[in-house]
Amino acid sequence: MMLAVYLVCAGLAPARAELTKSDVAGVEASPRLGAVLPLSVRLRDENGVARPIREWLTGEPGVWVLADFTCDTLCGPVVSTVSDALRQSGLRPGQDFDLHVVSFDPQDTPENAKDMKQAQVGLEALGDATHVSRGDAGDIAALTRAFGFEAVYDRDHGRYAHPAAAFVVTADGRIARVLPGLGLHPASLRLALVEAGQGRKHGGPHDRHTRRSGTFEEAKAQRPGESTEADHCLTRHDRRRQIGDRLRPARGDSASERARFRDRISTS
């Protein structure tokens, strides 16, 4: 799955040349689902203590957000949206999931991390299950590559162009889902976490039924009005292929029927 819609936020970062169309075209979140995070990459917590990612994994699925801690215009709302969705999911922070917010700006400081966490997550139960971390430029580059997260910095405007995304990761560090960071529905996040946890512990009968009887996308479609950048429009080729699968004439049909089929596909 790919989030190709990009947004921008203000931030401080190393200088980069003015964005070009090719730069913007590459801004996306397109992880390979099932890929394992770089477990040896070291991230520093709010107190500056560094640990490899394998030690950040807690035995339950996690939600990972990449953010610029000094950005209040986009990254702050993304972290706040994900936090609110987790609170409304009916799952238990620290037992059913953890939240990881990692800075993609190597210049972010421990103070930036603490301020962002307090402002966007809070200090109650969810705050206790939220891990805010930073890393060196090389380590952050390895992590963003694993997430397929492409961000570029616009020096002239002092801001990043980057995807607004939340990643659901299994207990052993595999990427299970990528969801929109804005417009995220609590039920979608709950189902993604249950799916990532293979239905253990926190998956109720309805969750297990949804996973058996359909797919994640079918369950999401039952909630009209949910806004998500992850819902991509089909390309013309995809539409033709889907229509073709439904309308394709059977063997033995006449030449005129096959011609009508081609006409319908070419105008779809």
Side-chain angles (χ1 to χ4, degrees), residues 34-177:
V36 179
L37 298 183
L39 301 180
S40 61
V41 159
R42 299 178 68 83
L43 300 175
R44 297 188 298 276
D45 64 18
E46 302 160 63
N47 299 313
V49 178
R51 291 182 289 159
I53 285 178
R54 62 170 52 89
E55 294 184 14
W56 288 92
L57 302 176
T58 60
E60 293 293 343
V63 179
W64 290 65
V65 177
L66 301 177
D68 173 4
F69 294 163
T70 61
C71 167
D72 295 325
T73 57
L74 173 63
C75 295
V78 167
V79 175
S80 178
T81 296
V82 173
S83 299
D84 289 344
L86 285 168
R87 289 190 184 91
Q88 298 172 43
S89 70
L91 300 178
R92 301 164 298 175
Q95 299 180 61
D96 298 329
F97 69 86
D98 279 355
L99 173 60
H100 299 264
V101 184
V102 184
S103 172
F104 59 74
D105 182 356
Q107 291 192 358
D108 277 342
T109 67
E111 290 73 23
N112 297 149
K114 293 176 182 178
D115 290 345
M116 188 279 304
K117 179 178 177 179
Q118 182 170 357
Q120 307 301 340
V121 180
L123 302 178
E124 74 282 13
L126 180 57
D128 292 339
T130 299
H131 310 286
V132 181
S133 58
R134 302 167 297 116
D136 296 331
D139 287 334
I140 294 302
L143 184 60
T144 56
R145 279 196 303 272
F147 280 123
F149 185 95
E150 297 290 343
V152 295
Y153 185 71
D154 184 348
R155 181 186 61 192
D156 289 352
H157 298 92
R159 60 189 183 182
Y160 281 103
H162 67 86
F167 304 90
V168 176
V169 176
T170 63
D172 59 353
R174 291 178 291 108
I175 301 171
R177 286 282 172 185

Side-chain angles (χ1 to χ4, degrees), residues 7 73-74 77-79 81-82 164-166 179-185 227-229:
L7 298 167
T73 57
L74 173 63
V78 167
V79 175
T81 296
V82 173
L179 300 172
L182 298 173
L184 177 58
H185 197 289
S227 173
T228 166
E229 297 97 333

